[in-house]
Amino acid sequence: MFEAAGVTRAVMAGQVKHTSIFSGVRPDMTLLSVIARLRSKNTDALIAAVADVMREHGVELLDSTAYLAPLLARPGTLAARRLTEREQADLAFGYRVADAVAGLDIGQTVCVKDLAVVSVEAMEGTDEAIARAGRLAGTGVAVVKVAKPNQDMRFDVPVVGVPTIEAMKAAGAAVLSVDADRALMIDGDALIAAADDAGIAVVGRARA
C-alpha cells in the first residue's frame, strides 16, 4: 500500500498490544517474513523486524517523536506537590530497578514503596501494573516509567496520559516519574491538572 502510494517515510503511532502474539492472529506472508527472522518475540525484536521489512520496501521509519516535541516530558517537578524525602528515596531505588528491567526489554514501569519492588510491568501494560501495586501495597506507591537505556525513538517510546493518572488515583499511588525528553505526556496540561486534583506528584527525570 505504501509503495503504491509513493510513501517513502512513516511514523509509528499508537499502542502495540504485545499480547496479540498469543491471541490467534493469522499472519499474512509479510508478517510471516517478519516472524521468521526473530530470535525472540520481545517488543524491540518484533518492531525492529517490522522496521527492517519496511526499509526493504523503500519506507524509512522516522523518530516517532519527530512531530511531537512539545509533548515530551520536561525535567524537574511537573505538578504542584513536591516529593517527600521518603518518595525521593523510593524513586532513586526505583530508577535502578526500572533501568535494569527496561534494559532487558521486559517492561518500562516498576512500582515501588518503602524501598521494595511491588510490581513490574511486562506484557499486561502500565495500568495493570499500577492496579496490581495498589492491591498489594495499598496507598503511597511510586510509579517509575523509564525509557530503555538504548531507546530506539522510532518505536515503543514511553507514554503517559490522563488515564495513567486515573489508574494511579484508583490504586492510591502517590508519585509518577517519567524520563525527560524520552517520554510523551499526552494532553499534558490535563494530565497535570488531574495529578494536582489527586495530590499526585509528577516529576521528569533528567538523563544524560
Side-chain angles (χ1 to χ4, degrees):
M1 184 182 296
F2 280 176
E3 289 177 288
V7 173
T8 59
R9 299 189 298 170
V11 174
M12 279 192 173
Q15 185 180 28
V16 176
K17 291 288 188 182
H18 197 165
T19 53
S20 63
I21 65 175
F22 301 116
S23 63
V25 172
R26 296 181 179 178
D28 59 13
M29 292 306 296
T30 302
L31 182 55
L32 283 173
S33 73
V34 170
I35 294 173
R37 65 180 69 192
L38 296 177
R39 290 188 175 182
S40 67
K41 292 182 180 177
N42 58 22
T43 304
D44 275 358
L46 281 166
I47 308 181
V50 170
D52 288 344
V53 170
M54 291 176 68
R55 185 183 297 112
E56 291 167 7
H57 288 267
V59 180
E60 192 66 28
L61 197 59
L62 303 181
D63 180 336
S64 63
T65 67
Y67 305 105
L68 300 174
L71 302 184
L72 288 169
R74 295 176 288 102
T77 300
L78 304 179
R81 190 173 74 77
R82 301 280 175 170
L83 297 173
T84 66
E85 289 187 6
R86 181 184 68 80
E87 290 168 343
Q88 291 175 357
D90 274 347
L91 288 186
F93 169 76
Y95 292 144
R96 296 195 299 273
V97 177
D99 287 341
V101 169
L104 294 171
D105 198 18
I106 295 170
Q108 298 171 319
T109 304
V110 300
C111 300
V112 302
K113 181 178 177 180
D114 294 335
L115 305 183
V117 177
V118 181
S119 67
V120 176
E121 176 198 15
M123 284 190 183
E124 79 278 24
T126 300
D127 289 355
E128 289 293 331
I130 292 170
R132 191 166 71 253
R135 292 193 298 269
L136 292 171
T139 60
V141 166
V143 178
V144 180
K145 191 173 184 75
V146 302
K148 296 165 189 171
N150 297 306
Q151 179 71 49
D152 190 327
M153 296 300 286
R154 296 177 302 169
F155 49 77
D156 202 31
V157 175
V159 178
V160 294
V162 172
T164 311
I165 300 299
E166 291 173 345
M168 292 179 63
K169 182 177 179 180
V175 179
L176 172 64
S177 175
V178 294
D179 282 356
D181 300 318
R182 296 190 186 185
L184 292 168
M185 296 179 64
I186 306 301
D187 294 328
D189 290 343
L191 183 157
I192 296 303
D196 288 343
D197 183 64
I200 293 172
V202 182
V203 297
R205 175 177 65 150
R207 294 186 61 168

